[in-house]
Amino acid sequence: MTQSLHDTALELFRCAIDRADPAAAVRAHLATQPLAPLEGEGRRIVIAVGKAAVPMMRAALATLPEAPATALAITNPENQADLAGAEVITGAHPVPDQTSAAAGARVLDLLKDLSPQDQVLMLISGGGSALMVAPAPGLTLTDKAAVNEMLLASGLDINRMNLIRQNLSQLKGGGLCRAAAPARVTALILSDVIGDDLRAIASGPTVDPLGTAQDARALLQDQGLWHTLPETVQTHLTEAGAAHETPVAQNILIGSNRFSLEAMRDRAEALGWHVPELIDDLTGDVTEAATRVLAAAHSAPMDRPVALLFGGETTVRLTGTGRGGRNQELALRIAQAADGLDGDWVFLSGGTDGRDGPTDAAGGLVTPQTWAEIAQAGADPEALLNNNDSYAALQSADALVSIGGTGTNVADVQILLRRPA
């Protein structure tokens, strides 16, 4: 425990990101649990979808014993790259467009007329829901875009939004498995969803749906949203028949926020820190999250160095015109409460994708001195916080965490290192 608290916090943050590295996770799984050998004239089709599709596909191609019959990666334009042995196409995110529809149609075409001897390997990461779309028969992309816009403004949680999305799609909610039947489907999944409900990651193309069309209709009516839907969507949800059975796929979680928390815990303990129980559900408003972090700090033992580790994804209530993100604002709120924490401590909050809000920072790292340092730099920390201008506040005290894009995303992690004075 000879390195500074600042450097230790950054080391643990990097450890969380490394555990969520999509390529490393795919390689590690396929090296220890290889796919079953192909039978007879069987073919192997590999499809990667999501923001991490390219590195996941690259790792699969390097690890599989033979080249697949077809390899297709679908990602966002920012992450597009040439990849030997695979076709790479793009969709749109967060709102799907014609490129997303073209990607969905391409996938459905690949899955046509497969046999029981064929294998489909799916590599799934966050963003897949918008990057690959296939509207249900009778619906258009315009219909789905209108529904998606309504859902994003509705205040519904991700599971309830996905219940509706799944019932308007040929691929979501197990639709991919139904399209691939009778081929065997294996999915390696990198979770960007707190709690790791596989039905919510990329809207669950390889798992049972969250509910039926009747369930979706009842939810929309209960929430007063039914009459905001396009008429074609109302007709589809009203006339949809009984749901088709979803063939069982082998779904394997290879990376998640919880996995990254456990990696941080193991490293912290190896460095000599006492780590109480992990807190893997730091969600909700950032103000409430700060209160929860401080409560955990006050209840932790003070007779030894303690590392408090959190994971989740908070929200910020925008009341000002400043620039920042949920991690930067959480760090600034902890700095504001520095007088209430005894001992020597640092607090880091960061997004594992290396980006926090519309900024170039991943988050913030604050100490007992940060709030005063902002004032010493000539800024008003209280006014900046009230204006949601956490980026400017932390920048003035050299308290931003800037690491660049990481190529992965398993939500956010927080680290509070505290030792007796």
Side-chain angles (χ1 to χ4, degrees):
M1 203 179 297
T2 56
Q3 65 183 359
S4 70
L5 297 184
H6 179 281
D7 290 346
T8 301
L10 289 175
E11 179 181 347
L12 295 180
F13 184 44
R14 176 54 66 180
C15 184
I17 293 168
D18 289 346
R19 177 59 185 84
D21 180 88
V26 169
R27 283 195 302 269
H29 178 81
L30 291 178
T32 57
Q33 300 180 56
L35 299 177
L38 290 170
E39 301 174 1
E41 300 298 317
R43 297 171 298 153
R44 180 174 289 134
I45 296 171
V46 182
I47 301 172
V49 61
K51 293 182 180 181
V54 170
M56 292 178 83
M57 177 64 80
R58 183 180 292 112
L61 293 177
T63 311
L64 291 170
E66 67 278 321
T70 303
L72 174 69
I74 304 165
T75 193
N76 52 319
E78 297 86 347
N79 291 340
Q80 185 180 24
D82 292 335
L83 187 55
E87 177 186 4
V88 181
I89 62 177
T90 62
H93 185 276
V95 178
D97 66 8
Q98 291 296 338
T99 63
S100 306
R106 180 84 174 93
V107 169
L108 287 173
D109 185 61
L110 289 178
L111 300 179
K112 283 193 310 186
D113 304 322
L114 298 184
S115 76
Q117 295 178 318
D118 294 326
Q119 290 182 2
V120 178
L121 173 62
M122 289 297 305
L123 307 170
I124 300 173
S125 56
S129 180
L131 295 170
M132 174 185 74
V133 299
L139 301 181
T140 66
L141 182 62
T142 301
D143 294 330
K144 289 199 67 176
V147 173
N148 197 54
E149 184 176 352
M150 178 273 291
L151 290 175
L152 291 174
S154 69
L156 294 177
D157 62 40
I158 186 64
N159 277 345
R160 292 194 290 178
M161 285 196 287
N162 279 334
L163 164 63
I164 296 161
R165 289 168 174 158
Q166 288 175 353
N167 280 285
L168 306 179
S169 171
Q170 296 182 68
L171 287 170
K172 296 173 173 55
L176 189 144
C177 287
R178 295 190 291 273
R184 292 169 291 163
V185 177
T186 299
L188 305 185
I189 302 171
L190 183 70
S191 171
D192 64 341
V193 175
I194 301 304
D196 302 328
D197 187 339
L198 300 186
R199 299 172 300 177
I201 304 165
S203 293
T206 59
V207 297
D208 286 331
L210 288 157
T212 65
Q214 290 73 27
D215 295 328
R217 185 173 71 245
L219 171 62
L220 289 160
Q221 291 171 340
D222 180 66
Q223 296 293 315
L225 300 171
W226 179 255
H227 294 293
T228 69
L229 298 172
E231 186 175 341
T232 50
V233 175
Q234 294 182 18
T235 299
H236 172 74
L237 291 176
T238 300
E239 298 180 353
H244 296 289
E245 183 175 349
T246 301
V248 176
Q250 185 180 19
N251 291 295
I252 303 159
L253 192 65
I254 61 170
S256 72
N257 188 266
R258 178 74 190 193
F259 288 8
S260 286
L261 286 183
E262 291 170 351
M264 287 200 302
R265 177 197 61 202
D266 294 346
R267 182 57 183 157
E269 290 178 342
L271 291 173
W273 291 86
H274 169 67
V275 183
E277 183 176 359
L278 301 175
I279 298 175
D280 60 3
D281 59 350
L282 193 68
T283 58
D285 183 76
V286 69
T287 306
E288 299 167 2
T291 300
R292 191 172 175 196
V293 168
L294 292 168
H298 286 302
S299 64
M302 275 300 297
D303 60 343
R304 72 194 92 166
V306 172
L308 298 173
L309 305 178
F310 308 82
E313 194 165 270
T314 59
T315 57
V316 173
R317 186 177 295 109
L318 293 176
T319 57
T321 59
R323 196 162 68 105
R326 58 184 181 260
N327 289 289
Q328 293 164 66
E329 183 152 327
L330 177 56
L332 187 57
R333 289 187 179 279
I334 297 298
Q336 182 187 34
D339 291 344
L341 280 180
D342 296 327
D344 190 14
W345 58 267
V346 299
F347 175 78
L348 183 153
S349 183
T352 56
D353 61 354
R355 294 286 184 266
D356 185 39
T359 76
D360 58 0
L365 194 164
V366 299
T367 72
Q369 293 78 42
T370 300
W371 191 261
E373 289 170 350
I374 296 170
Q376 290 164 8
D380 182 342
E382 192 82 39
L384 291 170
L385 179 59
N386 291 337
N387 193 39
N388 298 119
D389 208 354
S390 53
Y391 183 89
L394 295 175
Q395 186 179 45
S396 69
D398 195 24
L400 290 171
V401 175
S402 298
I403 59 173
T406 65
T408 191
N409 182 19
V410 291
D412 305 332
V413 296
Q414 291 80 28
I415 302 156
L416 196 153
L417 302 177
R418 190 181 183 198
R419 60 190 177 197

